Amino acid sequence: MPTTRAERRTTQALERARRHRLARGLAEPHDGVVTRRMLLEAGLTPGQIATEVDHGAWSRAGAHTLCITSDVPTGRALWWWAVWESGSRSVLDGVTALLVAGLQHWDEPVIHVAVPNNATVRRLEGVRHHRLRDLGPRTTSGLRRTPTDVAVVRAARWARTDRQAATVVAMTVQQGLVTPDALLVHWQQTRKGSANSVLDDVVRDVCDGAHSLNELDFAAECRRRGLPEPTRQAVRTGRNGRVYLDVFWEELGVHVEIHGAQHFQGTAGLDDALRHNDLQLRDRSMVSLQIPVLGLRTTPEPFFAQVGQALRAAHARRQHTS
C-alpha cells in the first residue's frame, strides 16, 4: 500500500489513466460515447464515474449517455445517443437508418427513431420519435436500426412531400442499398391501407420501370388538361437498360422523351430537365422535351405546362407557314 503523499498521488494518477484507457476503449466503437451501464459492467464504480464527470474529463449527454472524447455528441455519436436515450426497445428508422446503411448525398435535419406505442420516451432535441404498433425486424449488430427494405418505405411515408418521398426511394435503390425486388416485395406486403397512390406509383417506377411506363397513359393526362393527344407513343430501352417512353406530335414537330426512374440520381434530374426544356422552348426548330417519370408522379404540372407551351408554339408556327 502507498504510504507517502507522493506515492498516493502516483497511484491515483495510474488509476485514473487506467479508467481513461478503459473508457476510450469502450467509446471507440461507439464514436466517442458510452453508456453509464457499459462503464459499470466494465468494473467502474458510480463514484469513479462521478469523479471523472466532476473533473470535466467526461461529460453527461443524457440519462444514459456519457461523452468520453468530446464535450457533446457529434456526427455518428448522435445516432448512438438518440437510440440509447430513447430506451432499450427503440431503433433508428426511416432516413436515419438509411444513412447508417450508407445512403450518400442526403442531408437530414432530424434523427428518426421508432419506439413501441406504449413506450415512455422523453423528448430529445433534434430527434423525431415515431410510435409504431409493430416495430418489425431490426438489425442489432452495430447501431440498432430497422432493415433497409423496411426503412426506405417508412422514410417515404414520413417524407414531407411527394418529391422527397420519390427522392429517397430512388436514391436508396440507385445506390444499391436495397434491391428492387426486395423493396417491391416489402411494399406489396405493407401498402394495403395506404392512401398514397403517388408513392405506390413511385415504388413501381423505381422497381419495375418498363412495366410502369407501359401502364403510363400519357395521352389520358393530356386529355385531362385539354391538350391534344400525341399521334403516337412507344416504350423504348436505351443504353444500360434505361427505359423511357417516346411521345410524338409528328405533324407539329414536338417530341417528348419520358425517362425511367433509373435515368437520374434521385430526383435531381427534375430541375435539370425543366432547365433543358426551357432552352428548347426558345428554339424555333423541332422541340424535344425531357420529362423524368418521377417528375410526372410528383410535380407533373410544370412539365405539362411546358408541353402545352411547346404545342401552342408549334401550332402557331404551322399556321404562320401555311
Side-chain angles (χ1 to χ4, degrees):
M1 293 288 292
T3 56
T4 67
R5 183 177 298 177
E7 288 175 334
R8 286 195 296 272
R9 283 200 298 266
T10 300
T11 300
Q12 290 170 354
L14 290 172
E15 170 56 24
R16 289 199 66 197
R18 182 191 71 83
R19 293 177 205 165
H20 290 181
R21 285 196 303 272
L22 185 149
R24 284 195 298 270
L26 292 172
E28 184 178 0
H30 304 102
D31 302 283
V33 292
V34 298
T35 64
R36 178 181 172 86
R37 181 176 179 178
M38 287 178 190
L39 295 175
L40 292 173
E41 289 179 345
L44 298 191
T45 67
Q48 289 171 330
I49 296 171
T51 296
E52 299 304 331
V53 172
D54 292 342
H55 286 174
W58 305 336
S59 61
R60 291 191 180 93
H64 307 288
T65 310
L66 288 153
C67 296
I68 304 301
T69 61
S70 63
D71 293 334
V72 294
T74 58
R76 288 177 58 91
L78 284 168
W79 294 339
W80 293 103
W81 163 79
V83 76
W84 288 339
E85 295 296 320
S86 299
S88 60
R89 294 185 292 168
S90 66
V91 289
L92 298 175
D93 207 337
V95 170
T96 305
L98 298 179
L99 290 169
V100 174
L103 181 67
Q104 301 292 314
H105 312 299
W106 184 280
D107 183 26
E108 183 66 16
V110 300
I111 299 172
H112 295 269
V113 177
V115 297
N117 261 338
N118 60 354
T120 301
V121 183
R122 293 179 299 105
R123 185 171 184 174
L124 302 171
E125 185 177 355
V127 175
R128 183 171 299 160
H129 289 111
H130 301 270
R131 294 183 177 274
L132 302 178
R133 185 169 53 190
D134 180 13
L135 294 184
R138 64 178 64 186
T139 299
T140 55
S141 59
L143 281 156
R144 199 165 61 235
R145 58 185 172 87
T146 299
T148 307
D149 59 333
V150 180
V152 64
V153 170
R154 290 179 182 171
R157 282 180 166 154
W158 297 338
R160 294 186 299 274
T161 64
D162 288 338
R163 178 165 175 168
Q164 187 184 64
T167 301
V168 73
V169 170
M171 289 178 68
T172 302
V173 172
Q174 288 164 352
Q175 293 179 24
L177 301 180
V178 65
T179 66
D181 288 346
L183 173 56
L184 196 57
V185 166
H186 181 70
W187 175 249
Q188 289 171 342
Q189 291 172 345
T190 61
R191 69 179 177 176
K192 291 181 179 178
S194 173
N196 194 335
S197 61
V198 171
L199 182 54
D200 188 47
D201 288 336
V202 164
V203 171
R204 291 189 300 109
D205 289 336
V206 172
C207 296
D208 191 11
H211 186 260
S212 178
L213 284 178
N214 269 314
E215 290 184 347
L216 180 62
D217 194 343
F218 190 83
E221 292 299 312
C222 289
R223 287 196 303 272
R224 195 163 68 84
R225 292 167 173 82
L227 299 175
E229 291 186 33
T231 51
R232 65 186 177 95
Q233 59 185 58
V235 175
R236 310 284 185 181
T237 300
R239 291 187 306 168
N240 304 320
R242 287 174 178 168
V243 179
Y244 58 90
L245 179 67
D246 260 340
V247 179
F248 295 94
W249 288 263
E250 292 170 301
E251 75 283 2
L252 293 174
V254 175
H255 163 243
V256 172
E257 195 173 277
I258 302 170
H259 289 287
Q262 300 294 346
H263 188 80
F264 295 108
Q265 176 72 0
T267 56
L270 271 61
D271 293 331
D272 291 340
L274 286 168
R275 284 191 291 271
H276 166 86
N277 294 347
D278 281 336
L279 291 174
Q280 276 282 309
L281 289 169
R282 297 173 195 169
D283 192 344
R284 291 291 182 180
S285 61
M286 177 176 175
V287 173
S288 181
L289 303 182
Q290 296 179 0
I291 305 180
V293 67
L294 295 182
L296 289 180
R297 302 303 192 191
T298 62
T299 53
E301 298 312 322
F303 288 106
F304 275 105
Q306 290 181 331
V307 171
Q309 182 182 345
L311 293 173
R312 288 190 296 272
H315 184 69
R317 287 196 303 273
R318 185 180 179 187
Q319 287 188 323
H320 179 71
T321 56
S322 60

